Amino acid sequence: MKMADYEELNDDQHFLIDRLPDFEDLSGSEIRRSRFCTKCWFRESLQIEQTA
């Protein structure tokens, strides 16, 4: 599985992600913090752990 950060994707791939129904409930910042499989468009969230 080839995972790529949102910034590594080209304009066509950004266009596709913006229109996939699985990602329509996510904010732009959540999408930019994610990694994507360029074959099946699986999204891996890169959540930063925060301690109180």
Side-chain angles (χ1 to χ4, degrees), residues 25-46:
D25 295 335
L26 300 175
S27 69
S29 63
E30 287 177 296
I31 290 174
R32 285 187 292 279
R33 286 192 312 256
S34 301
R35 291 171 42 95
F36 298 90
C37 172
T38 56
K39 293 188 184 277
C40 69
W41 297 109
F42 170 79
R43 183 180 76 89
E44 177 182 64
S45 179
L46 299 176

Side-chain angles (χ1 to χ4, degrees), residues 2-29:
K2 167 98 168 85
M3 300 295 285
D5 292 330
Y6 184 80
E7 294 82 26
E8 296 172 15
L9 303 175
N10 63 36
D11 290 339
D12 290 335
Q13 293 167 324
H14 287 166
F15 180 85
L16 180 63
I17 287 171
D18 291 341
R19 282 145 186 84
L20 286 172
D22 290 347
F23 306 134
E24 65 186 13
D25 295 335
L26 300 175
S27 69
S29 63

